[in-house]
Amino acid sequence: MTVEAEKFAGFGPNEWLVYEMYQSYLKDPNSVDKAWWDFFADYSPGATPVESARPTDPSPPPDAVDPAPADEASPAAPVAAPPASDAAPAVQPATPTPTPTAPAGRPLKGAAARTVANMEASLHVPTATSVRGVPAKLLIDNRTVINNHLRRGRGGKVSFTHLIGFALVKALEAMPVMNNSYAEAGGKPTVIEPEHINLGLAIDLTKDDGSHTLVVPCIRNADTLDFAKFWSAYEDVIRKARTGKLTADDFAGTTISLTNPGTIGTVHSVPRLMSGQGTIVGVGALEYPAEYQGASAETLARIAVSKVITLTSTYDHRIIQGAESGEFLRKMHELLLGDEFWDGIFAALRIPYEPIRWTTDIAVSHDEEVGKPARVIELIHAYRVRGHLMADTNPLEFELRRHPDLDVVTHGLTLWDLDREFPCGGFGGHALMKLREILGVLRDSYCRTVGIEYMHIQDPEQRRWIQERVERPHSSPDRQEQIRILGKLNQAEAFETFLQTKFVGQKRFSLEGGESVIPLLDAVVSAAAHDDMDEVIVGMAHRGRLNVLTNIVGKSFGQIFSEFEGNLDPRTAHGSGDVKYHLGAEGTYTALDGETVKVMLASNPSHLETVDPVVEGIARAKQDMINRGEGGFTVLPILIHGDAAFAGQGVVAETLNLSQLRGYRTGGSVHVVINNQVGFTTSPASARSSVYATDVARMIQAPIFHVNGDDPEAVVRVAELAYEYRQAFKKDVVIDMLCYRRRGHSEVDEPSFTQPLMYDLIDAKRSVRKIYTES
């Protein structure tokens, strides 16, 4: 092997590209990425690659051959006839028919010549190919679930090749022989057993002139990555290939390759295997079997025919046997249909729902067909009653959420029913819907970042009112509304950050971790202003009180900071009657369009819920004084609770119990629970027997909205819905905003002493403002 051939050894099918880059480097080093300079710097030119591929060929290399002129190259040039003899008859000889001239050949040079050398070298690798068809139904459906989740959150998109490539890596962990390669050491055959899996990806690149080239960079140490990291590494390699940023490291050391001719419709192909690798896996087109491609979608769904994807394994037969290759493809098949594989992917992407499971279709006779629509109605009812148990409402900790009542299999349905139409009794505004569409509406309505408890309400009109507003597509708020939400989060976080920086060690019971309560209150008070309400009265304990005073009630920053400096009102007992974070205030709230409403925050000399009946009494007294007649409930009480207090204090239950009595009612209160999932130092598991802190509100048939505090748009949507419900039915409504407490019970406590695991999670979290800004 020549010096240059040795230089490019180990790059497999990428040798042509490296050679081409080297030629560009010789002409102008700046034309090549600087990452390659060190690689090319110590290279001494030797024989050309084509020469090294044909050491016994005495002819010059193709890139040194010039095409011969046509008259020299033609083997059929006319030959001069001998002079005629005198004795010969004077007959004109027939004109010979000219032989067609062969077209002049175009010599292959540079990268094209190296490709020829690589392909000829590959002929010396004895290969065989195994082929297996895999039903793609589960792959398609779970990919849809994954991409819908990503679209609602951080963005991005998972392709079929991402999933199949990850299945390939997992199959290799079970069948490491497929990762081996053949070599010769000292003239003796040898098996190379790599320590890790370096997965090569065949990427088709289109040049400026429209021609196509193939590069095969690799994902290094793919066996050490979970799916989220594998997906990121895959996309990074693709991005570098598209932008010409691949380095020698991205090419070297590939142990197995993945190619996907299926993207151009090829069902399956038999690729060439380059020296240095033991296997190359091909992925064919995703198609229905040919015999079913003329059937209608309805027929295909009825007879449970799935699209199929064809996998091929082309392997070096010197070190890998056909049975091993077949077993390898069988393992990939099992993974793509297996529960453990999909559970791992969903966990890595932090998707808090159970993947769709592979099951066989449930055959029914004609008499039994009526049963499936009834089961679909059962499923709809189950989501309305228990969908909140699968909602992603906890911003602090990821967990896979499932419940048997919400599993389609429990109701005698399978993934094969997803594309079948069922009568749904007007659900979602339709008489007939596919099960896939029904599940999409149910999960969007009850299982995303909002969970709703309302089926305990006995009045069908109230249940129907909620269903009409939640069982429909939810569009994102317009740009102006998004900016307003972000502005309120900025105000909340900036206030807390300033106090934490300027008044270190002073108690303030910060709102950090629960800043979404400010846009929540903003939405409710703004709606009250637009409804010409006379006043909004807020009662709350200490958590976040200073933030509400400044950003909702309108108390000036000067007053707040002055109190932190110790300048208290001398006319009150002991200067204040209590500490600064128990004081009340009155102000005027101005909505975005200029509408105003009076706002009052009642004083609360207790850390707990003593203020609840006080606020209700103030609201009722003011309504009686205004005297707008029966139903004139134009003073809105808002009660802000802590989760431990809402569940643990009897005064909360007593206040709720009085809420509908003629002598005490105020037309409904909006209850907001700032649920930071810890009561002083006690976790929920040690503080209550109920599932939720808000379960006590079920006794008065109040609807309860559980919402993830890290989704401020959902928080605002729920706030507006809660206010509308109060206005429509003059009843209490509860918003349970799950969040966390960034610091201790007060700023002088060290929370990690009593909740070390929780605060490990909290310390790693970014604020809701940062998350929302990025989204």
Side-chain angles (χ1 to χ4, degrees):
M1 183 179 284
T2 65
V3 175
E4 184 167 344
E6 290 175 2
K7 183 70 182 179
F8 295 111
F11 288 108
N14 301 296
E15 289 182 17
W16 70 268
L17 177 64
V18 180
Y19 177 76
E20 188 178 67
M21 292 172 68
Y22 177 69
Q23 299 302 321
S24 300
Y25 171 81
L26 291 178
K27 294 176 184 176
D28 178 12
N30 289 318
S31 66
V32 177
D33 193 284
K34 289 186 178 180
W36 287 91
W37 287 11
D38 289 340
F39 179 80
F40 291 138
D42 61 350
Y43 170 59
S44 300
T48 64
V50 178
E51 287 175 337
S52 64
R54 293 191 181 93
T56 60
D57 188 353
S59 61
D63 54 352
V65 176
D66 292 323
D71 57 345
E72 295 178 9
S74 173
V79 178
S85 132
D86 292 343
V91 179
Q92 184 68 30
T95 304
T97 303
T99 303
T101 302
R106 178 174 61 86
L108 298 176
K109 300 181 179 181
R114 178 157 291 279
T115 300
V116 171
N118 287 342
M119 290 299 100
E120 290 185 348
S122 73
L123 294 175
H124 298 289
V125 181
T127 61
T129 300
S130 304
V131 181
R132 189 179 185 106
V134 179
K137 175 71 171 171
L138 189 66
L139 187 68
I140 295 168
D141 289 337
N142 273 328
R143 176 179 175 264
T144 301
V145 173
I146 291 169
N147 286 336
N148 285 343
H149 178 80
L150 293 174
R151 179 170 46 80
R152 288 188 300 271
R154 64 184 179 189
K157 193 173 184 180
V158 168
S159 71
F160 292 115
T161 315
H162 289 137
L163 298 166
I164 293 168
F166 191 64
L168 185 156
V169 172
K170 290 299 178 185
L172 281 177
E173 292 177 7
M175 296 284 299
V177 65
M178 303 300 294
N179 198 44
N180 295 345
S181 60
Y182 174 85
E184 291 187 5
K188 295 182 179 180
T190 306
V191 174
I192 306 297
E193 298 178 344
E195 184 179 353
H196 291 290
I197 299 167
N198 295 336
L199 176 62
L201 304 174
I203 304 171
D204 179 70
L205 300 177
T206 305
K207 290 186 174 182
D208 293 339
D209 61 2
S211 61
H212 289 259
T213 60
L214 185 74
V215 295
V216 189
C218 72
I219 300 173
R220 307 188 71 79
N221 302 331
D223 51 312
T224 64
L225 308 176
D226 65 13
F227 182 76
K229 293 176 182 175
F230 176 85
W231 177 39
S232 177
Y234 189 113
E235 289 300 293
D236 186 52
V237 165
I238 297 293
R239 183 167 50 252
K240 289 164 74 174
R242 302 289 185 214
T243 57
K245 300 295 184 183
L246 292 169
T247 66
D249 244 12
D250 295 313
F251 290 134
T254 300
T255 60
I256 187 169
S257 297
L258 176 68
T259 182
N260 186 8
T263 56
I264 55 175
T266 304
V267 175
H268 88 268
S269 63
V270 181
R272 299 302 306 163
L273 187 62
M274 302 303 297
S275 178
Q277 294 180 33
T279 310
I280 181 169
V281 175
V283 181
L286 189 69
E287 295 286 357
Y288 284 107
E291 57 269 29
Y292 290 104
Q293 289 183 8
S296 68
E298 184 180 357
T299 299
L300 292 169
R302 187 176 67 252
I303 62 177
V305 173
S306 167
K307 285 187 176 181
V308 175
I309 197 162
T310 304
L311 303 179
T312 63
S313 166
T314 300
Y315 56 96
D316 189 333
H317 217 332
R318 292 172 295 189
I319 58 170
I320 298 170
Q321 300 308 309
E324 292 170 322
S325 176
E327 179 70 15
F328 171 67
L329 291 182
R330 185 177 72 85
K331 185 63 180 176
M332 286 189 66
H333 187 151
E334 290 174 350
L335 285 166
L336 290 170
L337 301 186
D339 293 351
E340 186 177 346
F341 176 75
W342 290 107
D343 285 342
I345 288 175
F346 275 53
L349 296 176
R350 298 181 67 83
I351 300 176
Y353 312 114
E354 197 168 11
I356 297 172
R357 305 299 188 188
W358 175 263
T359 53
T360 55
D361 189 24
I362 298 175
V364 294
S365 67
H366 178 73
D367 294 337
E368 294 171 325
E369 282 186 359
V370 70
K372 280 200 174 181
R375 292 168 194 158
V376 170
I377 298 300
E378 273 183 6
L379 184 65
I380 293 172
H381 180 76
Y383 268 87
R384 287 169 171 171
V385 175
R386 308 201 205 291
H388 57 88
L389 296 173
M390 210 164 76
D392 181 20
T393 54
N394 188 350
L396 197 54
E397 191 170 7
F398 166 79
E399 61 177 300
L400 185 63
R401 300 165 189 274
R402 63 183 75 184
H403 192 280
D405 288 351
L406 305 178
D407 189 345
V408 294
V409 176
T410 303
H411 297 274
L413 303 166
T414 67
L415 77 165
W416 300 103
D417 294 307
L418 292 175
D419 292 307
R420 294 168 179 163
E421 278 194 336
F422 296 97
C424 55
F427 172 78
H430 300 277
L432 287 171
M433 289 178 74
K434 290 182 178 178
L435 181 58
R436 180 190 306 282
E437 297 166 348
I438 292 171
L439 283 171
V441 174
L442 288 171
R443 287 177 175 170
D444 284 344
S445 301
Y446 300 114
C447 302
R448 300 307 179 197
T449 52
V450 177
I452 308 174
E453 291 184 272
Y454 71 99
M455 290 297 283
H456 57 279
I457 299 175
Q458 295 174 7
D459 181 3
E461 183 186 352
Q462 295 180 36
R463 297 197 303 269
R464 187 165 50 251
W465 186 93
I466 293 173
Q467 288 165 6
E468 288 170 354
R469 283 157 181 78
V470 301
E471 292 177 351
R472 63 184 187 185
H474 298 293
S475 56
S476 296
D478 59 33
R479 181 70 175 166
Q480 185 180 26
E481 178 66 13
Q482 289 176 328
I483 290 173
R484 181 166 179 81
I485 293 171
L486 180 59
K488 287 299 174 182
L489 291 174
N490 286 340
Q491 291 175 7
E493 184 173 318
F495 178 76
E496 298 293 354
T497 302
F498 181 83
L499 290 182
Q500 176 64 19
T501 305
K502 194 72 174 176
F503 303 104
V504 180
Q506 288 205 41
K507 289 184 180 181
R508 71 178 192 278
F509 299 99
S510 82
L511 192 59
E512 291 171 281
E515 293 94 340
S516 290
V517 80
I518 298 301
L520 184 158
L521 293 174
D522 174 70
V524 173
V525 179
S526 178
H530 288 101
D531 275 356
D532 293 325
M533 299 286 280
D534 288 309
E535 191 169 354
V536 175
I537 302 178
V538 182
M540 65 184 299
H542 49 299
R543 178 73 53 205
R545 188 179 188 87
L546 297 178
N547 216 310
V548 173
L549 278 167
T550 55
N551 291 314
I552 299 298
V553 180
K555 186 172 182 178
S556 71
F557 293 113
Q559 286 179 278
I560 295 285
F561 300 151
S562 178
E563 290 166 7
F564 270 95
E565 296 287 356
N567 301 319
L568 304 175
D569 186 351
R571 292 170 297 178
T572 58
H574 304 294
S576 70
D578 208 334
V579 289
K580 53 188 167 294
Y581 37 82
H582 290 164
L583 296 174
E586 294 186 33
T588 300
Y589 173 88
T590 303
L592 196 62
D593 58 0
E595 295 287 344
T596 62
V597 65
K598 287 177 60 180
V599 182
M600 171 187 176
L601 179 64
S603 297
N604 182 13
S606 167
H607 281 226
L608 303 177
E609 304 285 334
T610 307
V611 75
D612 293 355
V614 175
V615 167
E616 298 288 359
I618 293 172
R620 176 58 184 259
K622 290 196 173 190
Q623 288 172 353
D624 288 348
M625 292 173 65
I626 294 168
N627 193 19
R628 291 185 183 270
E630 184 68 23
F633 301 115
T634 57
V635 177
L636 173 67
I638 300 177
L639 297 177
I640 304 174
H641 312 264
D643 52 318
F646 199 88
Q649 283 198 267
V651 68
V652 175
E654 292 167 3
T655 305
L656 290 169
N657 201 34
L658 295 172
S659 64
Q660 298 303 304
L661 299 182
R662 182 177 178 84
Y664 296 90
R665 65 185 181 188
T666 58
S669 302
V670 176
H671 298 266
V672 179
V673 180
I674 303 177
N675 190 340
N676 51 39
Q677 307 182 69
V678 61
F680 190 31
T681 61
T682 307
S683 65
S686 302
R688 64 175 187 264
S689 300
S690 60
V691 175
Y692 297 112
T694 54
D695 282 354
V696 66
R698 292 169 64 97
M699 71 177 181
I700 61 165
Q701 300 180 43
I704 303 166
F705 299 91
H706 307 281
V707 60
N708 191 320
D710 268 4
D711 186 353
E713 289 183 7
V715 169
V716 169
R717 186 170 70 247
V718 161
E720 293 169 347
L721 186 61
Y723 174 79
E724 290 171 12
Y725 177 88
R726 186 267 182 187
Q727 293 296 90
F729 299 105
K730 310 302 180 186
K731 286 183 59 180
D732 287 31
V733 59
V734 179
I735 301 172
D736 178 22
M737 193 192 81
L738 282 88
C739 53
Y740 55 93
R741 191 180 70 191
R742 173 73 66 181
R743 308 191 187 280
H745 179 67
S746 70
E747 285 62 37
V748 299
D749 301 327
E750 177 47 65
S752 61
F753 289 168
T754 54
Q755 297 291 339
L757 298 180
M758 174 185 283
Y759 277 86
D760 283 346
L761 296 172
I762 291 173
D763 289 343
K765 276 193 67 68
R766 294 169 299 159
S767 71
V768 61
R769 182 193 65 83
K770 289 181 181 177
I771 294 171
Y772 188 57
T773 301
E774 291 171 2
S775 70

